Amino acid sequence: AWMEVRRGTAMAAVIIPPGFGQEAGRAFFGAPVRPELKFLYDPTRSAELAMVRGIVTEHVMRAISHQLWPGHVTLPYEIHEQAVTAGASAPYNSYAHAFAGMGVQFLLFAAVDLGIGILLDRQRGVWKRIRSAPLSRALVLGGKAASGAIITLLTLLVSFAFAMLVFKVRIEGSVLGFLAVSVACALMATTFGLLIAAIGGTPAATRGVATFAVLVVVMLGGAWVPTFIFPAWLQQLTMVVPVRWAMDGLDGMTWRGLPLAAAVTPTAVLLGFSVLFGALALLKFRWNE
């Protein structure tokens, strides 16, 4: 059993010592010596250990009660478990959350490439030729923002299209709400990329810092692991992370099956981050070499 747990072929194993039943029966009535059950478990699946303990406890109590009394003790109730999702006809699909997280991460990395591309243009002298053209600054940045928004939006939509075709992910809530959150995500990511271009230094150094920043906000936003496992103070802190709102909005429109109203707040917050990032990028952008 120990080797099976070590290899990962078994989740857990329980070692029951000789004479456990008799000693457990005496301990039930207050005997000072209590037998010991040894649980061996795979540390990567520690969350399931509580379930194993519960199952073993139920069987032990039934066995002891059968020894001590003609009948045996059973639970005075039945348990019915139901996952609360969009409805009985729409069971929970874990791929929906996974593709939302990976989709947001991909579009943020696309935004990083947008910002690094602008820095490379400045380094190669392309930006100087662009500025010499009869184009306003607003039009130049607007063109970069529009192309970036299209790329990031398509990145997210293609990711979900693949999830729908292969992994049966469905938009159980509002399709309009899903599109609204997706567009807001794309705008947030694009303006984040412009901000990287505005405050970044050399392309190589900026790419390293921007990649690290993306990984941190994606992790804090619940794209890798659900935010409910975070400490309470950290859960409150994630409210200032745009990825948290993107995940809430996408989850709500897919497997949670929430109505359009549930997409309003995430969309508004993401658009607010877009305005903030865009304003900072415009303020800090270096038009001269």
Side-chain angles (χ1 to χ4, degrees):
W2 178 79
M3 288 300 298
E4 291 181 358
V5 175
R6 184 178 182 182
R7 288 194 297 263
T9 56
M11 179 191 71
V14 182
I15 299 177
I16 304 175
F20 173 81
Q22 291 77 11
E23 293 184 10
R26 290 191 292 269
F28 188 79
F29 288 101
V33 178
R34 295 189 297 174
E36 180 182 88
L37 289 177
K38 187 172 184 179
F39 288 80
L40 307 176
Y41 68 96
D42 185 341
T44 64
R45 305 172 70 179
S46 57
E48 301 171 21
L49 182 60
M51 178 185 68
V52 175
R53 286 199 302 263
I55 294 173
V56 171
T57 299
E58 179 184 356
H59 284 282
V60 169
M61 292 303 297
R62 286 183 176 180
I64 292 175
S65 66
H66 186 69
Q67 287 182 3
L68 300 178
W69 296 285
H72 60 275
V73 177
T74 60
L75 292 175
Y77 54 85
E78 295 291 337
I79 297 176
H80 173 73
E81 297 179 350
Q82 178 180 345
V84 181
T85 59
S89 61
Y92 171 60
N93 188 339
S94 60
Y95 290 111
H97 178 82
F99 272 89
M102 292 302 99
V104 172
Q105 179 173 304
F106 292 158
L107 64 86
L108 285 174
F109 279 132
V112 171
D113 285 339
L114 169 67
I116 299 301
I118 294 176
L119 293 177
L120 286 173
D121 286 345
R122 178 181 286 122
Q123 189 179 65
R124 296 166 181 168
V126 176
W127 192 249
K128 184 180 296 184
R129 292 195 293 271
I130 292 176
R131 288 191 299 107
S132 64
L135 301 172
S136 65
R137 295 179 177 181
L139 185 59
V140 171
L141 278 185
K144 289 288 186 180
S147 63
I150 293 173
I151 291 172
T152 52
L153 179 60
L154 288 177
T155 299
L156 186 60
L157 295 182
V158 168
S159 176
F160 267 100
F162 180 81
M164 293 174 184
L165 291 174
V166 179
F167 295 100
K168 309 303 181 184
V169 172
R170 295 291 180 265
I171 301 175
E172 304 292 350
S174 169
V175 175
L176 181 59
F178 174 81
L179 293 176
V181 174
S182 299
V183 171
C185 286
L187 291 174
M188 178 273 295
T190 300
T191 52
F192 175 71
L194 293 179
L195 182 60
I196 290 174
I199 64 178
T202 63
T206 302
R207 183 181 295 277
V209 174
T211 300
F212 177 75
V214 167
L215 294 177
V216 169
V217 297
V218 166
M219 184 272 293
L220 291 177
W224 292 352
V225 293
T227 55
F228 68 80
I229 70 172
F230 295 163
W233 65 269
L234 187 55
Q235 293 185 38
Q236 295 298 320
L237 181 62
T238 60
M239 300 301 288
V240 300
V241 177
V243 177
R244 167 68 184 274
W245 295 96
M247 292 301 301
D248 287 350
L250 293 174
D251 281 349
M253 297 302 104
T254 53
W255 66 269
R256 290 191 184 277
L258 299 181
L260 176 61
V264 173
T265 299
T267 301
V269 173
L270 289 170
L271 291 177
F273 276 109
S274 302
V275 172
L276 175 62
F277 293 158
L280 290 175
L282 187 61
L283 181 64
K284 297 292 185 179
F285 201 86
R286 300 189 305 274
W287 294 99
N288 298 319
E289 302 296 333

